[in-house]
Amino acid sequence: MISVEEARARILAALAATPAETVPLPAGWGRVLAQPVQARLDQPPADVSAMDGYAVRAAEAVAGASLAVIGTAPAGHPFPGEVGPGEAVRIFTGGFVPPGADAILLQEDAEASPGRVQVQETVRPGRWIRRRGLDFAAGEAVLPTGRRLTARDIGLAAAANVPWLAVHRAPRIGILATGDEIALPGDPIPPGGIVSSNAHALAALIRAGGGDPLVLPIAPDDSQAIAAAATAARACDLLVTTGGASVGDHDLVQSALGPQGFTLDFWKIAMRPGKPLIWGRLGATPVLGLPGNPVSALVCSVLFLLPALERLSGLPGAPPRTIRALAGAPLPENDRRFDHLRARLEPGPEGVPVATPFPVQDSSMMKTLARADALILRAPGAAALPEGASIEVIPLGDLGI
Amino acid sequence: MISVEEARARILAALAATPAETVPLPAGWGRVLAQPVQARLDQPPADVSAMDGYAVRAAEAVAGASLAVIGTAPAGHPFPGEVGPGEAVRIFTGGFVPPGADAILLQEDAEASPGRVQVQETVRPGRWIRRRGLDFAAGEAVLPTGRRLTARDIGLAAAANVPWLAVHRAPRIGILATGDEIALPGDPIPPGGIVSSNAHALAALIRAGGGDPLVLPIAPDDSQAIAAAATAARACDLLVTTGGASVGDHDLVQSALGPQGFTLDFWKIAMRPGKPLIWGRLGATPVLGLPGNPVSALVCSVLFLLPALERLSGLPGAPPRTIRALAGAPLPENDRRFDHLRARLEPGPEGVPVATPFPVQDSSMMKTLARADALILRAPGAAALPEGASIEVIPLGDLGI
């Protein structure tokens, strides 16, 4: 058995970012840049006013002075002339500061009369002027390669006058649920069978992680059917299987996939829930074999599939984000397997949440997993902790997972 | 001027959830349930084994006993007979416990020989059996109305044998950028003009919030063009405009939309960045008029548009989630406007992050906003705080915003 950290490191080491594609700006949201976004213009494109007021010559705009208003400069409509001695131009936020002017007289510091304005407060040179290029300059890389684009980034790229983006292709993830006994919801359930919940939970998780899920038809526990479905997944960046990963099944998957060029890296991880996990490669396609148990499959996906999706998407691929919490109940000493306790999160003192494990942690209970707000991390051999101890948890749900 | 809280309350009070639609299970991810999901079966569907081993009669399975193995019960393939006196059935995790058996002998506590098994450890009645309905029972509401569905919830609904879901329709949000001076990225920029960044940043934010954005062509500052575009948006659940909300423009939007049936609720909020904000109704369609300044537009969207999207999606519509942080720099006393300082978040002591405001908070700087990890909340009249003080921040980026 290998550790969770080693398993994740081996998975990440075997994966590379998908190649780049060109997408229109709006399709870039949530994708990872494969090339930097370089500004195509200065922003602001000229010296502009930060306020509504008058563009003036600072040397003249002293309290009590009266200036001739020779025109207006609203945003988008520059004044076509120059501000000469004794003159001012009515200006609005974002309006270009006309040549000759070097300061803004605020409208609340001015007294307007027809064709003229009287200065009530002496202005300071340069005051209330946003300099050309204050936000960014043409040629500047405003967004670096490797960044996952937020809504704000899309706005920044637009402001930089960039209509197309080079981003990593969304990773295409094949999902293969195996088992004679499983049926899709609403389909006839074979005698002794259960409804398959893994494929569509995983598809949603893959979407949440920025991937493009491809749900393959359920493969019966039969070498040929598994091999055929696996072949269909060769166009994928990663094939995820569920079921067929435990002790007895291990040979089945090996014997089914072996002739197709499957090579196994490891298959047992010192963790709970979710010990049996296959990692290998089918020809060129990496294969992640998750347990058939839905709770185990989802916990393993949070720990391994989401980081794998990040790596395929163009990011380094980090362990799931954790936060500090206070234990809402005493925690027993842990054995040698890394444990992930399904827990409720509630607001606690000083902004630190309280994480309380559900009393029954049976790995067959999907309802408990769905109601959990977090997974409490219990490292191998972790000592018993009293209620209120500081613990580390993976918050769930933040990303729709 | 009204407060941020009052503005949000008035916006939420004017909105109602969209009507329900039926979607296939995989399309339910991220949507809000309009009807509960009721389990259509018991889970597990029968008493099943929690481990690999032997289904036995507990009274006989004492250390040293030898039992005849009369068949196997792997998951999905129930043993067709009964376990009689002196008998055992080989069973695997998830296999149905055959009639007659009332306990599981773990495989590591057993010594197998051809056709027989010897008990090494006395079993306890009921041990390692998951009872029928342990996770949920047929008829039970496993997911309530009003829940936004996670990947785990999709798995739970699948396990409950529910292939279709009744969810609130994704809110359709029209986006209308106004202004003579703006052009889309890559389009010719008029003299003195700037590139429009609001429409596509907002479209991404709306997608992040679960909405369905409809980007309308840019409307010049001209009553007729604004009115025509607004008419085109009547099929929307909400129309968002940008620009045309500041002092002088206020009359333009009013005069353009007034004849179309526009009624104004309020338009000035005591906040920074983003004071001018229009809230009203165009016929039956609510209208949120954001400032034209992209930083103000995005901050206002976090504070008002995301909660509005939640309400339209079927949730109550809460203020943006905040976390506690430590001030990374001294904060000056605040004036009467609620301030939202763009800040960097870094890991801090005891898991509490440190939020450091950027030194320049100019509301024209998109690059600063894009690089911010959080907005520091500074309530009206907030006292000056030293470095290290406990503050409240809105984390950005978590949801792709």
Side-chain angles (χ1 to χ4, degrees):
Chain A
M1 287 208 290
I2 65 172
S3 72
V4 169
E5 292 74 13
E6 189 190 340
R8 189 158 44 221
R10 278 159 76 163
I11 289 171
L12 291 177
L15 299 174
T18 60
E21 66 170 328
T22 296
V23 297
L25 180 67
W29 174 67
R31 307 288 286 278
V32 177
L33 282 177
Q35 288 172 23
V37 171
Q38 281 176 316
R40 301 234 167 103
L41 39 68
D42 298 327
Q43 181 59 26
D47 292 355
V48 297
S49 179
M51 301 292 278
D52 292 348
Y54 297 84
V56 295
R57 298 157 74 100
E60 303 172 348
V62 294
S66 173
L67 303 169
V69 178
I70 60 167
T72 62
H77 299 277
F79 175 69
E82 198 167 324
V83 177
E87 292 176 344
V89 161
R90 181 79 171 113
I91 198 165
F92 297 91
T93 304
F96 286 12
V97 178
D102 61 359
I104 304 299
L105 168 66
L106 295 186
Q107 107 190 340
E108 50 265 49
D109 296 339
E111 176 86 31
S113 57
R116 297 203 71 81
V117 62
Q118 196 182 34
V119 180
Q120 314 273 56
E121 291 269 350
T122 299
V123 305
R124 280 192 286 140
R127 191 68 179 120
W128 304 119
I129 292 177
R130 287 177 180 146
R131 294 292 169 199
R132 174 180 183 151
L134 170 74
D135 198 2
F136 52 79
E140 183 180 337
V142 290
L143 294 165
T145 296
R147 182 172 174 92
R148 193 191 285 278
L149 297 171
T150 65
R152 290 168 290 146
D153 294 336
I154 296 297
L156 179 57
N161 203 22
V162 173
W164 304 95
L165 300 170
V167 295
H168 291 283
R169 186 166 51 66
R172 163 66 61 105
I173 315 294
I175 304 170
L176 178 65
T178 68
D180 282 334
E181 77 281 18
I182 57 171
L184 289 177
D187 275 354
I189 304 171
I194 57 164
V195 185
S196 167
S197 62
N198 276 332
H200 291 104
L202 289 173
L205 180 139
I206 288 164
R207 250 186 228 115
D212 177 16
L214 176 72
V215 177
L216 299 167
I218 292 174
D221 279 333
D222 159 300
S223 296
Q224 292 203 334
I226 294 181
T231 304
R234 289 229 173 115
C236 293
D237 299 301
L238 173 66
L239 173 66
V240 176
T241 65
T242 71
S246 59
V247 185
D249 301 327
H250 174 229
D251 295 335
L252 175 64
V253 170
Q254 280 272 64
S255 62
L257 296 183
Q260 313 294 322
F262 179 75
T263 53
L264 179 75
D265 182 3
F266 62 81
W267 70 284
K268 257 185 158 179
I269 300 180
M271 66 175 283
R272 183 175 44 235
K275 180 175 54 171
L277 188 125
I278 290 172
W279 178 246
R281 197 171 275 277
L282 182 65
T285 305
V287 176
L288 178 66
L290 298 172
N293 173 306
V295 173
S296 302
L298 280 166
V299 172
C300 285
S301 295
V302 169
L303 298 180
F304 304 112
L305 179 52
L306 289 178
L309 273 166
E310 287 184 358
R311 173 65 63 100
L312 290 167
S313 302
L315 296 168
R321 187 175 71 91
T322 61
I323 58 172
R324 300 304 301 180
L326 304 178
L331 298 173
E333 188 185 1
N334 192 27
D335 63 13
R336 70 205 170 90
R337 291 205 277 160
F338 208 125
D339 208 349
H340 302 84
L341 306 176
R342 278 70 76 200
R344 205 185 297 276
L345 276 188
E346 280 148 320
E350 302 284 317
V352 180
V354 174
T356 309
F358 288 99
V360 179
Q361 290 285 326
D362 190 297
S363 72
S364 73
M365 294 169 76
M366 267 304 281
K367 199 174 68 181
T368 302
L369 179 67
R371 290 186 182 172
D373 303 307
L375 299 174
I376 296 176
L377 300 185
R378 296 290 287 153
L385 288 177
E387 186 181 329
S390 177
I391 53 176
E392 197 177 5
V393 309
I394 300 174
L396 300 170
D398 280 11
L399 294 166
I401 292 159
Chain B
M1 289 207 289
I2 64 172
S3 72
V4 169
E5 292 75 13
E6 189 189 341
R8 189 157 43 222
R10 278 159 76 163
I11 289 172
L12 291 177
L15 299 174
T18 60
E21 65 169 331
T22 297
V23 297
L25 180 68
W29 174 67
R31 306 288 287 277
V32 177
L33 282 177
Q35 286 172 25
V37 171
Q38 281 175 317
R40 302 235 168 101
L41 38 67
D42 297 328
Q43 182 59 25
D47 292 357
V48 297
S49 179
M51 300 293 277
D52 292 348
Y54 298 83
V56 296
R57 298 157 73 99
E60 303 171 349
V62 293
S66 173
L67 304 169
V69 178
I70 58 166
T72 63
H77 300 277
F79 175 69
E82 198 166 324
V83 177
E87 294 177 343
V89 162
R90 180 80 171 111
I91 198 164
F92 297 92
T93 304
F96 286 11
V97 177
D102 61 357
I104 304 299
L105 168 65
L106 295 186
Q107 109 192 337
E108 49 266 49
D109 295 341
E111 177 86 31
S113 58
R116 298 204 69 82
V117 62
Q118 196 182 35
V119 180
Q120 313 273 54
E121 291 269 351
T122 299
V123 305
R124 279 192 286 141
R127 190 70 180 119
W128 304 118
I129 292 177
R130 288 176 179 146
R131 293 293 169 200
R132 173 180 183 152
L134 169 74
D135 197 1
F136 52 78
E140 183 180 336
V142 290
L143 294 165
T145 295
R147 182 171 172 94
R148 193 191 285 278
L149 297 171
T150 66
R152 291 167 289 146
D153 294 335
I154 296 297
L156 179 57
N161 203 22
V162 172
W164 303 98
L165 300 170
V167 296
H168 292 282
R169 187 166 50 67
R172 164 66 61 104
I173 314 294
I175 303 170
L176 178 65
T178 68
D180 282 335
E181 77 281 20
I182 57 172
L184 289 177
D187 274 353
I189 304 172
I194 57 164
V195 186
S196 167
S197 61
N198 276 333
H200 291 103
L202 290 173
L205 180 140
I206 288 164
R207 250 186 226 113
D212 176 16
L214 176 72
V215 177
L216 298 167
I218 291 174
D221 279 333
D222 158 302
S223 295
Q224 290 203 335
I226 294 181
T231 304
R234 289 228 174 117
C236 293
D237 299 302
L238 173 67
L239 173 66
V240 176
T241 66
T242 72
S246 60
V247 184
D249 301 328
H250 174 230
D251 294 335
L252 176 63
V253 171
Q254 280 272 64
S255 63
L257 295 183
Q260 312 295 320
F262 180 75
T263 52
L264 179 75
D265 183 2
F266 62 82
W267 69 284
K268 256 187 161 178
I269 300 180
M271 66 175 282
R272 181 175 45 232
K275 179 173 56 170
L277 188 124
I278 290 173
W279 178 246
R281 198 171 275 276
L282 183 65
T285 306
V287 176
L288 178 66
L290 298 172
N293 173 307
V295 173
S296 302
L298 280 166
V299 172
C300 285
S301 295
V302 169
L303 297 181
F304 305 112
L305 179 53
L306 289 178
L309 272 166
E310 287 184 357
R311 174 64 64 99
L312 290 166
S313 301
L315 297 167
R321 187 175 70 91
T322 61
I323 59 172
R324 300 304 301 180
L326 304 177
L331 297 173
E333 188 186 2
N334 192 26
D335 64 11
R336 70 205 170 90
R337 290 204 278 161
F338 208 127
D339 208 350
H340 302 83
L341 305 176
R342 278 71 77 199
R344 204 185 298 276
L345 276 188
E346 281 149 321
E350 303 284 317
V352 180
V354 174
T356 309
F358 289 100
V360 179
Q361 290 284 326
D362 190 298
S363 73
S364 72
M365 293 170 77
M366 266 306 280
K367 199 173 68 183
T368 303
L369 179 67
R371 290 186 182 170
D373 303 307
L375 299 174
I376 296 176
L377 299 186
R378 296 288 288 151
L385 288 177
E387 186 180 329
S390 177
I391 53 176
E392 195 176 8
V393 310
I394 300 174
L396 299 169
D398 279 11
L399 293 165
I401 290 157

